[in-house]
Amino acid sequence: MRILEVCAGDLASAHAAAQGGAQRIELCSSLELDGLTPSPDTIAAARRIEGLKLHVLIRPRAGDFVYDNADTGTMLRDICLARQLGADGVVIGALTPEGDIDIPRCRLLVEAAQGMQVTFHRAFDHARHPLRALEDIISLGCTRLLTSGQAPTAEAGIPLLRQLVLQADGRIIIMPGAGITPANARLILDQTGATEIHGSLRSPHNGHLITDPLLVNQTVLALSRPL
């Protein structure tokens, strides 16, 4: 089964994702800052949406993915809160100043998840050695990796995405994301061998960009067509 995960930047977008037929959301806030951890109230409200798996972004601040102990403490508390509020998974990531996976820090985050699914987010797209970084992420026990293939869009990143899927060999889910549309979602999965895909699928509404249930539904239909 091919799965669409929608990046929902607010509660309205979470409802739109469910209305459009998405199977899962990555809930965050402040998409203009590439996403930050949502508020507890937003997590709790999203948890009440029926039929939708809920993964929560754990990112304490904008900017790079090199975190200090204070940042790490915040992320650990946010992971525990997400679990208490009933999240199905969390989305994490941290790098060293040199651009490698920060294994000790990420291990703390994965351990704090205590059985929830763990997605390593697009901090990976800033890693200096992507194939080695993939092995590090697998060694941490992460469930999946969200990546554009270190390109501006997942469609442009198809060559590396395909290589990551082959190298992963079922040990972790590779989930392409960035620039996903109903027109290219099927192409990206077909050409990479991935089975899950991640997009915000937004359109203008009252002066703001918000997840569009029609775009979500069109993407779901595109992914569900027989091969």
Side-chain angles (χ1 to χ4, degrees):
M1 180 179 178
R2 292 180 164 189
I3 292 174
L4 172 64
E5 177 182 277
V6 171
C7 179
D10 50 38
L11 190 57
S13 291
H15 281 286
Q19 182 182 346
Q23 295 96 333
R24 186 175 66 234
I25 60 169
E26 179 200 274
L27 186 67
C28 62
S29 65
S30 305
L31 276 177
E32 70 279 4
L33 301 175
D34 294 325
L36 300 176
T37 305
S39 71
D41 286 347
T42 303
I43 298 172
R47 177 68 288 171
R48 292 192 288 271
I49 300 174
E50 295 184 3
L52 197 64
K53 293 290 186 181
L54 172 63
H55 289 188
V56 175
L57 177 63
I58 306 298
R59 186 176 179 226
R61 57 164 176 77
D64 63 25
F65 301 100
V66 179
Y67 296 117
D68 60 18
N69 289 340
D71 293 326
T72 303
T74 298
M75 290 190 287
L76 290 171
R77 289 189 293 273
D78 287 341
I79 290 171
C80 291
L81 181 59
R83 186 178 65 252
Q84 292 167 6
L85 291 171
D88 299 293
V90 290
V91 184
I92 60 103
L95 300 177
T96 67
E98 296 75 27
D100 298 316
I101 304 301
D102 189 336
I103 293 177
R105 211 172 293 277
C106 288
R107 183 170 289 120
L108 290 174
L109 302 179
V110 172
E111 289 173 353
Q114 293 185 5
M116 288 189 291
Q117 292 200 358
V118 179
T119 299
F120 195 99
H121 58 51
R122 289 188 61 202
F124 172 87
D125 290 326
H126 299 272
R128 60 176 174 169
H129 300 300
L131 301 184
R132 187 172 74 192
L134 173 61
E135 293 300 325
D136 289 340
I137 292 166
I138 291 171
S139 75
L140 289 166
C142 293
T143 313
R144 66 181 50 77
L145 167 62
L146 169 62
T147 172
S148 66
Q150 297 199 332
T153 67
E155 188 169 357
I158 283 173
L160 179 56
L161 286 165
R162 184 187 302 115
Q163 190 173 4
L164 293 170
V165 171
L166 289 171
Q167 180 175 323
D169 193 25
R171 294 176 295 162
I172 191 172
I173 297 165
I174 305 298
M175 182 169 62
I180 303 303
T181 70
N184 68 16
R186 178 63 179 266
L187 170 74
I188 291 167
L189 293 192
D190 286 349
Q191 294 198 7
T192 63
T195 58
E196 300 189 5
I197 201 161
H198 169 102
S200 59
L201 299 167
R202 295 183 294 166
S203 65
H205 181 75
N206 293 334
H208 301 282
L209 286 174
I210 187 170
T211 297
D212 186 330
L214 178 59
L215 293 178
V216 173
N217 186 249
Q218 289 172 343
T219 306
V220 169
L221 291 174
L223 297 181
S224 64
R225 288 198 305 268
L227 293 172

